[in-house]
Amino acid sequence: MENLGRVTPATALVLEALLSAESVWGLQIVKDTAKKPGTVYPILERLELAGWVEGEWEEEDGRKGPRRRYYRLMADARPLARAYVRQLQSRLSSVPRPSPALSECAWGPA
């Protein structure tokens, strides 16, 4: 398993989605993170190449539509993924929010 180096907020969101279940369908990760497929799938590919994630194509033939690719976070990556998610959550909670009083100017709402 390789070091990911810099982990972006989008990568932490993908890791959080992967931590939510044993195996997650790629489009479900897109929905869970509210990120575009063009953001999520390259992250999944990078995680897979780094040995953090294992991707597997759906075996079921009876379902209509294209095959799904399911992603599973490797067991040894779970503690590190949790740490990255906690780090993102603490960063987000420490960002100061503007006061509601500041959102309106003397001449009306912004």
Side-chain angles (χ1 to χ4, degrees):
M1 188 173 79
E2 295 177 23
N3 184 350
L4 293 180
R6 182 175 162 265
V7 176
T8 65
T11 302
L13 288 172
V14 169
L15 290 170
E16 185 175 24
L18 289 163
L19 283 165
S20 71
E22 181 65 31
S23 181
V24 186
W25 173 39
L27 192 56
Q28 185 62 51
I29 297 171
V30 170
K31 291 176 184 177
D32 291 348
T33 60
K35 297 291 180 188
K36 295 183 184 230
T39 299
V40 171
Y41 286 107
I43 291 170
L44 288 168
E45 183 178 358
R46 185 168 60 97
L47 291 171
E48 198 169 1
L49 289 172
W52 283 56
V53 169
E54 182 178 65
E56 194 170 75
W57 287 105
E58 175 180 58
E59 297 295 323
E60 186 179 318
D61 292 329
R63 195 181 67 74
K64 296 206 188 300
R67 287 190 312 163
R68 294 177 177 177
R69 187 157 175 86
Y70 287 89
Y71 297 89
R72 182 175 62 86
L73 193 59
M74 304 302 288
D76 52 340
R78 284 187 170 275
L80 293 169
R82 282 188 198 97
Y84 283 127
V85 169
R86 277 194 303 271
Q87 185 179 20
L88 172 70
Q89 290 169 342
S90 69
R91 259 193 289 167
L92 292 176
S93 67
S94 68
V95 173
R97 305 267 188 224
S99 167
L102 295 177
S103 64
E104 291 193 22
C105 305
W107 54 86

